[in-house]
Amino acid sequence: MEIWDGYDQNGALAGVDLVRGSPIPAGLYHLVCEILVRHIDGSYLLMQRAFTKPHYGGRFEATAGGAALKGEDPETCARRELMEETGIRAETLTRIGHFVSADTIYESFLCITDCAKDSVTLQEGETIGYRWVSEADFIAFVNSDGMIDAQKARYRGYLVQRGYLPR
């Protein structure tokens, strides 16, 4: 059983535990951290979701990430999720986004890495493939139907700042 901290809409701990798979009570939120991975050569990492995932199975996404476990702060969660889903150790994470949905607070990070591109590992049940794409191909991905719309919204500030999306 996976336990999460409950948060209020401002991101303060609410002193309530939430259980993965159980409904989140109205007015409470759980924390999810997402990590966009850019290689020092300028390319971006896309991860392919497992076909068994309930949402967007088989789709490529520009993230590694997941829910924060009880007691984890956003950066700790981001580092753990990045390592679990890609095998990449983040030396430095830069916060690039904050987004609140109906019951989730999303914190988005950028990891710039110099890892060997063939060293990415997959997490069973989560990911089934990956590919590194050039910056030009990443911009095309962002501006296509290929990028999951909700993810595009959560990364919007970063994508606009980089000129990948129009203001």
Side-chain angles (χ1 to χ4, degrees), residues 24-44:
I24 296 175
L28 289 178
Y29 301 81
H30 80 291
L31 174 65
V32 169
C33 295
E34 299 180 306
I35 308 91
L36 178 64
V37 179
R38 190 172 81 216
H39 198 271
I40 59 171
D41 70 5
S43 61
Y44 286 87

Side-chain angles (χ1 to χ4, degrees), residues 38-99:
R38 190 172 81 216
H39 198 271
I40 59 171
D41 70 5
S43 61
Y44 286 87
L45 178 64
L46 301 181
M47 299 299 295
Q48 186 177 18
R49 295 172 63 83
F51 286 104
T52 56
K53 298 292 285 179
H55 302 288
Y56 309 111
R59 298 267 309 264
F60 276 91
E61 60 183 344
T63 191
L69 302 175
K70 182 170 179 58
E72 282 187 325
D73 61 64
E75 194 168 308
T76 301
C77 171
R79 288 179 190 284
R80 176 183 55 77
E81 287 287 345
L82 182 64
M83 177 56 108
E84 286 177 358
E85 292 189 8
T86 68
I88 296 171
R89 291 191 191 280
E91 297 299 321
T92 304
L93 290 173
T94 303
R95 191 166 288 171
I96 60 170
H98 171 87
F99 187 89

